[in-house]
Amino acid sequence: MHYRSQRVAYPYFLLSIILFALQVAFGLLIGAQFIWPGILSGLLPFDVGREIHLNTMVFWLLLGLMGATYYLVPEEAQRELYSVKIARVQFWLLALTGVAAVVGFLFGLTEGREYIEAPRVLDWLIVAGALMFLYNIGMTVIKGKGWTATLGILIGGLTGLSVLYLFGMKFFENLVLDQYYWWWVIHLWVEGTWEMIAAAILAFMLIRITGVSRKRVEKWLYIEAILVLATGILGIGHHYYWIGTPEYWLAIGGFFSMLEPIPLVLMVWDTLREYKSRTIKHQNEVALYWIIGGVVLHFIGAGVLGVVQTLPVVNQWTHGTQMTASHGHLAFFGAFAMLVIAAIYYMLPDMAGRHDYKQGLGKWAFWTMTSGMVAMTAVLLGAGIVQVYLERILGMAFVTMKNQYMNTWMLWRFITGLVFAAGVGMLVVDFFRLPAYVSHRFNGTGLKRKQEVKSL
Amino acid sequence: MTSLRNLLIAVVLISGAALGYLTYDSTAQLEQRTIPLTDEVVNGKQVWQDNNCINCHTILGNGAYFAPDLTKIAVKRDPEWLTRFFKSPGDLWPGTVMSKIRLNGEDAENLTAFLTWVKDIDTNGWPPDPPGGQDSGQPQDGSESTGKAIFDSECSVCHQFDGSGGNAGPDLTNIGRDRSKEWLKSFLRDPQEVKPGTVMGNPGLDSEEINAVTEYLTSLK
Ligand code: HEM
Ligand code: HEM
Ligand SMILES: [Fe+2]
């Protein structure tokens, strides 16, 4: 059963894809500056490019997750969205806030804390947007036909995400406390609340794309959510080894974070099992590619590359090196970027009521991006090992290490980044070719069905 | 299903309560693990954030991997040098990527105060001493090889020696010909006194380290 109001998801997906392209463009720029520090360094110094790379990433992923939520909630709650108008006002509010933040970065306005650099005024606008979103979703469910496990875990995760953001807004006088609460945002987001949201959206799609019973899928959703939170909340300790916090965190963080891969393994196992026992042969193969590719790279990027550096005995050598960057890239890409892309590929055609679109380019985009990213993170891992050896074991100065031993590695990062970016180009082209409703203009009277894109 | 749901809620409550308690305790221990804050340090932290240093550097190991970690920078570089550097990095380090940063005197001093405060945070021993480097516990016999290790970690950033190193300062390959050991030792003890107005900061070495590095530098002559 479909609902007209599900179509409010479209502008969220559209902006999400545009910002993704922007994120990758800035990634290439700062990747180039690693090798040729002079490039655009007057106009767009590394730090500015990097904060735009990170903030557009957070923003496009959140927009994508919100779009997917708006698509999912009416279908789960079995009624139209509480208010299409709120969803649209919220969209414009967030879009303008995002533009303002990026323009501010270009002019040097920053809070100077990684990932959450947006200045205070904009923080409040983001909070306003989040409240509108939660209210809209909450009212839809309350007025709908009751809660499902998917809805509960999704909305729990979204509420947690919003509350945690508040801890990133304050100016802390003490650097130790600053980093302590900064990790509440970053770690408890990606290894707690975002993980819940992603698992719920994944369950929603799995039920529909494989035809496996809701009961079975949702049982595993619960188990995964329980394990994610049981290991992830105290697993935050793996960031409290060296920042001035007490020594007992070495034991707590090491223990709980070692267990964090368990739910991620389960997610792979469970998804493959549902796929094998599917009762329908779904036409939308590209969506399936992204779903399955996503759970696998989620496990490798977050689980494997995270866990190898999570014990204090290892982390004291690898902390804050290219190994961290390797893990950060594959984890964010596998866990969240691929999920948002999967949601777009599933939901846009679904919105238009047709999954029989031409899938060639989508598959090319999948393979190009995936191999580009895997290669890039492999290069970063190699670079990280060399860095750890020279800088942390032999004691060579960072600058000497970087200038004399990193250039070849960074060149390969750039080249693999170009491969990845080519895949992103295909994705963007394909996005505009996907069947979807074109009439998502905001004309104040609701979403009029003007014309459906014909098949291509 | 209901029991799974209840278990999920229990997990959130228990883990949340545990994190809450640990947060309380960690905050209470802050007094022993950091030295007291002053206005300069707090203002310096604001300067640190306003200038987005974290998006090039790491501090306490967190941040960007484009530039050196600054947790212990105030151990390596003396405060005068740091303050001068923040006012005009390019003068002290020709060609530095940081040259767009130009702080006024007050901001630069506060920033130095902040980084000086940071060096005393009890980080549970991070960063560890490099096992293959100068502080490896091997006897510091003032030999050339200790000297090489010191040079690689402390000086190669700015100086070339025998074909490798940076070029913020002069190439030291032939320094053994140009300067006597005595001159080098007193220069390294206090650069300002020997060469008033020099842009090289005090490297902060003890006399054994100075002997070792001097032996190494003069070994090529
Ligand atoms: C989807 C899940 C995950 C994402 C998106 C993610 C992302 C990241 C990112 C971006 C960083 C670097 C943060 C910074 O800028 O300083 C990081 C650090 C880290 N992550 Fe993850 N992570 C995930 C899951 C995990 C898991 C499951 C583990 C291990 C059990 C883990 C272990 C670590 C560790 C130990 C660090 C600190 C590395 C260091 O000391 O430099 N992560 N993670
Ligand atoms: C063309 C592709 C890309 C290139 C060349 C690139 C390049 C870079 C560079 C140079 C940095 C700074 C690393 C440092 O501080 O030393 C960075 C950071 C980061 N990028 Fe990318 N990036 C690309 C794509 C992506 C994608 C697709 C994602 C996620 C979906 C991503 C997520 C991140 C994250 C999370 C960090 C922070 C890592 C950390 O602090 O550990 N990047 N990227
Ligand atoms: Fe973490």
Side-chain angles (χ1 to χ4, degrees):
Chain A
M1 181 57 193
H2 285 132
Y3 297 86
R4 285 172 74 76
S5 54
Q6 285 180 288
R7 282 179 248 157
V8 288
Y10 187 87
Y12 286 86
F13 289 154
L14 176 66
L15 186 57
S16 186
I17 285 288
I18 293 172
L19 287 173
F20 179 32
L22 196 67
Q23 183 214 349
V24 172
F26 274 93
L28 285 176
L29 172 69
I30 56 176
Q33 287 175 337
F34 248 96
I35 320 165
W36 307 285
I39 291 185
L40 283 181
S41 65
L43 208 61
L44 276 170
F46 183 89
D47 60 303
V48 175
R50 188 179 191 269
E51 72 184 334
I52 295 179
H53 183 58
L54 294 185
N55 284 269
T56 47
M57 171 189 77
V58 172
F59 202 43
W60 82 261
L61 291 175
L62 284 177
L63 284 170
L65 294 175
M66 284 182 186
T69 304
Y70 271 135
Y71 191 79
L72 173 162
V73 164
E75 219 170 298
E76 285 283 300
Q78 300 180 37
R79 57 156 282 147
E80 293 287 353
L81 199 62
Y82 173 71
S83 163
V84 169
K85 196 174 226 155
I86 293 183
R88 297 227 232 82
V89 175
Q90 178 214 334
F91 171 79
W92 281 110
L93 177 72
L94 291 179
L96 293 176
T97 309
V99 172
V102 172
V103 173
F105 295 152
L106 293 173
F107 286 96
L109 278 174
T110 174
E111 261 176 17
R113 294 170 81 216
E114 260 190 298
Y115 302 91
I116 43 176
E117 284 95 342
R120 189 68 43 86
V121 247
L122 298 186
D123 282 341
W124 286 116
L125 293 179
I126 295 169
V127 170
L131 286 175
M132 288 165 76
F133 178 63
L134 289 176
Y135 176 72
N136 203 4
I137 297 293
M139 289 306 284
T140 311
V141 177
I142 288 167
K143 299 205 164 198
K145 296 236 166 68
W147 291 81
T148 61
T150 308
L151 280 174
I153 289 172
L154 177 66
I155 294 178
L158 289 168
T159 313
L161 181 166
S162 311
V163 172
L164 288 170
Y165 187 75
L166 300 175
F167 290 93
M169 288 172 54
K170 189 172 145 45
F171 174 80
F172 292 94
E173 295 191 338
N174 189 313
L175 181 71
V176 177
L177 273 190
D178 177 321
Q179 294 214 344
Y180 189 90
Y181 286 107
W182 180 77
W183 281 115
W184 278 35
V185 186
I186 308 310
H187 170 98
L188 293 180
W189 264 8
V190 298
E191 285 157 74
T193 50
W194 288 35
E195 200 79 73
M196 289 167 75
I197 298 164
I201 295 173
L202 178 69
F204 172 88
M205 293 194 288
L206 273 182
I207 293 171
R208 283 155 185 80
I209 217 163
T210 64
V212 172
S213 80
R214 167 182 291 272
K215 203 160 161 237
R216 185 160 120 186
V217 173
E218 287 193 336
K219 185 177 93 192
W220 284 102
L221 172 61
Y222 263 131
I223 295 175
E224 280 153 15
I226 289 167
L227 289 172
V228 161
L229 295 174
T231 59
I233 295 181
L234 289 174
I236 196 172
H238 64 187
H239 305 296
Y240 295 164
Y241 300 153
W242 328 116
I243 64 164
T245 34
E247 214 172 333
Y248 54 68
W249 281 111
L250 272 66
I252 298 172
F255 177 77
F256 284 94
S257 66
M258 272 307 279
L259 303 175
E260 282 185 47
I262 296 174
L264 308 184
V265 180
L266 276 182
M267 227 178 265
V268 177
W269 175 78
D270 158 53
T271 306
L272 290 180
R273 202 182 57 138
E274 315 305 15
Y275 174 70
K276 287 210 186 89
S277 53
R278 66 191 182 280
T279 57
I280 38 183
K281 190 176 183 310
H282 208 279
Q283 285 174 309
N284 196 339
E285 288 179 28
V286 180
L288 260 172
Y289 274 41
W290 285 104
I291 289 175
I292 293 177
V295 290
V296 172
L297 288 192
H298 182 175
F299 167 65
I300 299 176
V304 178
L305 290 181
V307 91
V308 293
Q309 46 188 312
T310 203
L311 284 181
V313 283
V314 181
N315 192 261
Q316 63 173 327
W317 306 111
T318 61
H319 181 44
T321 61
Q322 296 298 333
M323 283 184 73
T324 317
S326 170
H327 157 65
H329 276 91
L330 199 59
F332 259 112
F333 179 68
F336 305 120
M338 293 182 87
L339 180 93
V340 167
I341 299 171
I344 290 175
Y345 267 100
Y346 175 74
M347 290 172 183
L348 279 192
D350 204 44
M351 203 181 276
R354 47 181 316 159
H355 285 281
D356 60 341
Y357 62 98
K358 283 220 179 86
Q359 311 206 350
L361 190 59
K363 289 180 185 171
W364 268 96
F366 172 85
W367 286 114
T368 315
M369 282 169 71
T370 310
S371 45
M373 183 51 82
V374 169
M376 189 170 107
T377 45
V379 170
L380 288 174
L381 184 63
I385 293 171
V386 171
Q387 174 180 6
V388 168
Y389 178 72
L390 294 174
E391 191 194 346
R392 302 284 165 82
I393 307 288
L394 296 189
M396 182 184 286
F398 176 94
V399 176
T400 312
M401 177 280 301
K402 178 175 163 233
N403 292 343
Q404 293 186 8
Y405 296 89
M406 278 297 132
N407 282 339
T408 317
W409 292 101
M410 292 303 138
L411 186 61
W412 278 105
R413 184 251 290 274
F414 186 70
I415 293 170
T416 49
L418 284 176
V419 173
F420 181 81
V424 176
M426 297 178 207
L427 175 78
V428 172
V429 172
D430 208 34
F431 178 88
F432 291 102
R433 294 176 31 175
L434 281 177
Y437 285 94
V438 228
S439 172
H440 23 70
R441 266 188 297 118
F442 299 125
N443 46 18
T445 58
L447 293 156
K448 263 191 283 172
R449 176 177 173 163
K450 271 207 188 129
Q451 150 199 16
E452 194 177 318
V453 170
K454 286 185 266 20
S455 76
L456 299 143
Chain B
M1 283 295 208
T2 336
S3 56
L4 281 175
R5 190 198 61 197
N6 293 344
L7 183 59
L8 177 63
I9 294 172
V11 161
V12 174
L13 292 178
I14 294 171
S15 309
L19 181 59
Y21 171 74
L22 292 167
T23 300
Y24 164 77
D25 187 71
S26 300
T27 315
Q29 290 198 34
L30 221 50
E31 254 171 59
Q32 294 118 54
R33 304 185 62 93
T34 59
I35 55 176
L37 290 167
T38 61
D39 286 348
E40 287 76 33
V41 173
V42 174
N43 292 338
K45 180 169 182 287
Q46 186 73 60
V47 176
W48 166 266
Q49 288 184 222
D50 288 346
N51 287 281
N52 209 14
C53 314
I54 195 99
N55 269 307
C56 285
H57 290 275
T58 48
I59 193 158
L60 299 171
N62 294 314
Y65 322 116
F66 182 70
D69 184 78
L70 296 179
T71 313
K72 300 285 177 191
I73 192 68
V75 179
K76 277 202 161 181
R77 309 274 177 252
D78 67 83
E80 290 75 31
W81 188 88
L82 285 176
T83 305
R84 278 173 76 192
F85 182 69
F86 298 144
K87 285 188 203 156
S88 179
D91 289 349
L92 274 69
W93 194 313
T96 176
V97 182
M98 260 179 73
S99 51
K100 72 150 186 175
I101 285 172
R102 276 176 185 274
L103 300 183
N104 65 37
E106 196 190 340
D107 283 355
E109 275 165 27
N110 289 339
L111 188 52
T112 303
F114 168 68
L115 292 170
T116 309
W117 177 86
V118 168
K119 83 172 189 323
D120 289 318
I121 296 173
D122 180 350
T123 57
N124 292 328
W126 194 87
D129 290 334
Q134 48 155 326
D135 294 324
S136 52
Q138 292 149 6
Q140 300 220 340
D141 50 8
S143 69
E144 263 178 54
S145 61
T146 329
K148 179 176 184 343
I150 296 171
F151 185 86
D152 283 349
S153 81
E154 305 298 323
C155 326
S156 65
V157 181
C158 301
H159 292 287
Q160 294 253 344
F161 187 72
D162 202 12
S164 76
N167 36 26
D171 186 333
L172 297 179
T173 311
N174 295 324
I175 194 76
R177 237 180 285 148
D178 304 345
R179 304 279 189 189
S180 67
K181 287 190 186 179
E182 280 59 46
W183 188 91
L184 284 172
K185 286 179 189 169
S186 45
F187 178 76
L188 293 176
R189 211 165 291 125
D190 188 352
Q192 285 302 333
E193 198 180 299
V194 177
K195 258 185 128 177
T198 180
V199 292
M200 181 169 138
N202 191 329
L205 306 176
D206 64 28
S207 52
E208 268 181 33
E209 290 168 327
I210 289 178
N211 290 342
V213 108
T214 305
E215 287 306 319
Y216 176 62
L217 287 178
T218 49
S219 63
L220 273 187
K221 100 177 135 172

